[in-house]
Amino acid sequence: MAEPARALDDVSAQLAEMLRHADALLADWMRFGAEVRLRVERETAAIGAIVAQAVDGASDRALAIRLAAVSIELERLEHRIRVAARLAAEQRTSERRLVAGIAVGFTIVIALLVALVVRGPAPPLAAPPLPMRVDMPPADAAPVPPDAAALPQLAPAPPPPPAARVDAAPAPRATKRH
């Protein structure tokens, strides 16, 4: 029996040696895994930084392009607003001129009406003299030869009516107020 116990001790010693060797390999493997993990994390961080820079650059370029388009549109709108403001100012100026012209016209009309009221009614004008009457022969009479003795006799025109006095002041008119 000594021999199976020794064989068992040899197997046990070999297994112990294999376990130590496996422990050493496992420790090496764990160090390698930790190194790989650190390397992967560094590479991932570097790639993340590069991607972030690329995304930032692309977004900056896209933003610049969009801002350029918006600024062009803003310039167009600003131009339209300036044109509209200029047209509105011209419209106000023309309306002011129109209102001023209407005010001047009303002032002139009022001044003329005041002058007419102050002056009063105009004196009647003398009737123009009537044309002279010509006596015509009746239609059934015989034609008269055209010699000087046969000319019709002209009657004198009636005298004009007496003219009203111009220097007399007109009577004031009564005005009716409501």
Side-chain angles (χ1 to χ4, degrees):
M1 291 217 170
E3 197 96 9
R6 198 187 254 184
L8 193 58
D9 284 339
D10 286 340
V11 171
S12 185
Q14 283 180 354
L15 282 176
E17 188 64 32
M18 277 178 69
L19 283 176
R20 269 193 305 268
H21 188 58
D23 283 341
L25 285 175
L26 189 58
D28 286 342
W29 186 255
M30 287 176 69
R31 274 193 308 273
F32 177 73
E35 288 174 9
V36 168
R37 188 173 355 123
L38 287 175
R39 188 177 306 154
V40 167
E41 287 175 0
R42 277 184 287 182
E43 293 297 324
T44 304
I47 290 172
I50 291 171
V51 168
Q53 288 175 351
V55 168
D56 287 344
S59 65
D60 287 345
R61 284 189 300 274
L63 183 61
I65 291 170
R66 186 68 182 144
L67 284 176
V70 168
S71 67
I72 290 170
E73 186 64 26
L74 284 175
E75 287 175 6
R76 287 182 192 150
L77 290 174
E78 183 179 348
H79 177 69
R80 287 181 183 170
I81 289 171
R82 284 183 183 155
V83 168
R86 185 172 5 107
L87 290 175
E90 289 174 2
Q91 181 72 25
R92 281 192 305 266
T93 302
S94 65
E95 287 174 357
R96 286 180 186 151
R97 288 180 184 156
L98 180 65
V99 168
I102 290 171
V104 168
F106 274 126
T107 304
I108 292 171
V109 167
I110 290 171
L112 290 174
L113 287 173
V114 167
L116 283 174
V117 168
V118 169
R119 183 172 155 226
L125 298 175
L130 296 175
M132 295 174 59
R133 247 181 32 198
V134 176
D135 290 333
M136 298 297 288
D140 58 337
V144 179
D147 62 23
L151 287 179
Q153 297 296 322
L154 296 177
R165 287 185 45 189
V166 176
D167 60 343
R173 286 196 257 170
T175 59
K176 186 176 184 181
R177 294 190 181 188
H178 295 288

